[in-house]
Amino acid sequence: MSNWLHHLIILPILIPLMVGAAMIPIDERNRMAKGVMGFVSTLVLFVLSMVLMRAAASTEGFLAGTSVYQLGNWPAPFGIVLVLDRLSALMLCLTSGLALAAQVYSIARWHTAGHHFHSLFQLLIAGLNGAFLTGDLFNLFVFFELMLAASYGLLLHGSGPLRVKAGLHYVAINLAASSLFLIGVSLIYGATGTLNMADLAIKLSTISPENRQMVEVGAGILGVAFLVKAGMWPLSFWLPTAYSAATPPVAAVFAVLTKVGIYVILRLSLLVFGANAGVSAGFGQTLLVIGGMLTIAFGAIGVLASQAMARLAAYSVLVSSGTLMAAIGLGHSSMIAGALFYLVSSTLTISAFFLLIELVERGRDAGADVLAVTMEAYGDADEDEEVDEAGAAIPGTMAVLGLCFCLCALLLAGLPPLSGFVAKFAILSGLFGLSGAEPTPALSAADWTYVTLLILSGLSAMIAMNRVGIRTFWASIENTVPRVFVIEIAPVVVLLGACIFLSLQAGPTMRYMQATADSLLNPSGYTERVLTAPRVGGQ
Amino acid sequence: MEIILSAAIGVLTASGVYLLLRPRTYQVIIGLSLLSYAVNLFIFSMGRLRVNAPPILEPGGVGDLSRYTDPVPQALVLTAIVIGFAMTALFLVVLLASRGFTGTDHVDGREQRSE
């Protein structure tokens, strides 16, 4: 029985892969059928990842703590393993939750904008889940590429010159980053002879100095590839253009794409360059701190400078990435739990915001915000002809949209009482040592800069959201009320509801995050489980 | 042999990076291809260079590592080639779409104003 349940670990990769493949031959006219298939698949994934997260959070029973799935029944350093622990279960849950919301949203109208939307969507989820589950560096590359290939298609979904131009830059920079990824992986393999992350962590403590140098060079190059994905400052100029050009449901899932980079950096820096790494412990942290802070500053300035809401949301992605990078880089173990909470909360918020933007801006002229003053000269905007709309329009549209917008603003700025505040509070209380878990070390200049930037970035988000909100809801020149359907607003409400739930259940959630952080900070448990996992039906 | 191979990787990378930074989409795609060749050779060389040593077991030679070369980088390079090829093809499609939309092969979709 326990062996059979073990196969649950691979299902988050298999289900979307199979469903995505099965949809390809179905004719595009049966879009609804595809949508329903995709919805069912994502729903199953969501339930499954909830089950996996509960299991990983428990201390005994099946799949408790860290569990290992050996592909092809080969033991760890020789075969590829999938590893489920609290962190990967958390990321699976986040991904499938966002995917569910975006999928439902797309069924209203966006999936008609091009071909194979639902297949690409499922393949993207398969790639994401694989990247979160794998315990092998090269396998990570393969899942990364699967995810990227699907994301190229999704970014171009809907076509048009703007998307194609953004897509061209996005593809080019990601191909270059993939080359760096490969160079990094092969340097690490050349120096240590292993690609398994757990095995690498063990081997690094007993490696010769010249090989250690090679591993560090490899890890540095690898890190650059992930930082491109995560959007660290000098490597992030592609991000706002690409994210604001993408169709809303796509942009909503892309919010979790940057978090893949963060996830890998968090995983590798704590596992491989954690406390047991000897001389290499804390490798690259200074760079992460500086880069992260510059990213926060760049993102905050971008947020203030943005006229269009989609760009504002895209710059918020950068702020969120920068906050996490610097939190990882500062290296205070007490901050990790808060950072994880922030990761979940900010990703949910930004996704909800991306979905909301299109609803608010629907029926308005493109660039209405920029040209707000001269709008009267334009006269009435022509109604776009609407295609294939499903569901009923909701009453009191502007009230609902406005309320959702307010919630987004509170969450992005990190004001109480919502989870954005709880997350930032958790990070800061970890930094100041308020939790009392360990004696408070004196705060360095870097710590104070981080605190300042964190608070200023919240302020800039508040100012920008206020300005956009006033212009959109109070002082809007056209009084066209957008037609919004229940299945479009429902995902936004659900995502924001998840944030409210996080605020209400902050205690239990923080306990889970703390347990996750503790297991990340003691990598010996992870490496031991991976390397000593028994083969099925044998020794 | 080491010098020839490392020089080849270096030249390919340098040309690839140069072309990648050029303004024409065609140059970018050639640059990316050169870069991926360089990376493939690099992965291959990370298994150490051996002449006349197969990566698969021969009858009678089991356990004698001096007769074999490391098979893992060869497997990795195969995967990298396939993925790199697919991605280049995809980039080509985006490139053509961009050309169709904008009528120019500049990466920004419009010509720079001449000084």
Side-chain angles (χ1 to χ4, degrees), chain A residues 130-465:
Chain A
F132 292 137
L133 280 173
T134 186
D136 180 280
L137 277 179
F138 197 79
N139 197 232
L140 179 68
F141 169 73
V142 176
F143 281 122
F144 236 70
E145 289 302 310
L146 176 60
M147 170 190 99
L148 286 174
S151 78
Y152 302 152
L154 284 175
L155 178 59
L156 294 168
H157 179 74
S159 198
L162 205 62
R163 287 197 188 107
V164 169
K165 186 188 143 194
L168 193 73
H169 296 180
Y170 177 73
V171 177
I173 191 150
N174 277 306
L175 285 180
S178 298
S179 302
L180 289 177
F181 193 148
L182 281 173
I183 293 175
V185 167
S186 52
L187 269 172
I188 290 175
Y189 178 77
T192 62
T194 185
L195 287 169
N196 185 288
M197 295 180 199
D199 197 27
L200 180 64
I202 301 280
K203 287 218 164 110
L204 198 64
S205 51
T206 56
I207 200 171
S208 67
E210 62 270 21
N211 274 345
R212 178 182 295 279
Q213 213 167 18
M214 223 157 96
V215 174
E216 289 187 353
V217 171
I221 295 177
L222 202 60
V224 172
F226 298 129
L227 289 174
V228 169
K229 203 79 237 88
M232 191 168 87
W233 167 61
L235 310 169
S236 64
F237 297 115
W238 57 273
L239 193 144
T241 318
Y243 278 40
S244 52
T247 46
V250 174
V253 210
F254 274 19
V256 84
L257 239 59
T258 55
K259 301 300 183 286
V260 183
I262 301 281
Y263 162 83
V264 180
I265 288 167
L266 182 65
R267 168 78 81 200
L268 287 185
S269 62
L270 291 180
L271 179 64
V272 179
F273 295 109
N276 302 342
V279 198
S280 301
F283 173 76
Q285 287 196 332
T286 322
L287 185 86
L288 271 180
V289 172
I290 299 174
M293 289 189 189
L294 287 172
T295 313
I296 303 179
F298 177 67
I301 295 171
V303 163
L304 280 179
S306 307
Q307 299 287 328
M309 275 200 255
R311 282 193 86 81
L312 200 165
Y315 278 109
S316 309
V317 174
L318 289 183
V319 173
S320 149
S321 280
T323 308
L324 287 166
M325 271 181 253
I328 297 168
L330 283 174
H332 298 296
S333 47
S334 50
M335 279 168 71
I336 302 293
L340 288 172
F341 192 98
Y342 181 81
L343 189 154
V344 175
S345 160
S346 67
T347 312
L348 287 173
T349 312
I350 293 171
S351 288
F353 191 41
F354 267 122
L355 294 181
L356 183 66
I357 289 168
E358 200 271 334
L359 301 181
V360 173
E361 292 196 329
R362 175 175 298 170
R364 284 154 53 100
D365 265 351
D369 292 322
V370 189
L371 299 167
V373 187
T374 52
M375 266 312 284
E376 275 153 330
Y378 276 51
D380 289 325
D382 293 327
E383 277 297 306
D384 291 350
E385 67 247 72
E386 318 257 295
V387 272
D388 278 20
E389 280 162 348
I394 52 167
T397 310
M398 281 325 260
V400 176
L401 290 180
L403 190 65
C404 290
F405 186 86
C406 285
L407 290 179
C408 277
L410 287 180
L411 283 162
L412 278 179
L415 290 181
L418 293 178
S419 61
F421 171 75
V422 180
K424 284 189 180 177
F425 186 80
I427 293 181
L428 291 180
S429 79
L431 183 61
F432 290 123
L434 294 180
S435 50
E438 55 189 85
T440 320
L443 294 186
S444 65
D447 293 334
W448 282 114
T449 322
Y450 179 67
V451 173
T452 318
L453 279 171
L454 193 65
I455 290 169
L456 282 182
S457 69
L459 178 68
S460 77
M462 196 69 238
I463 295 173
M465 290 299 275

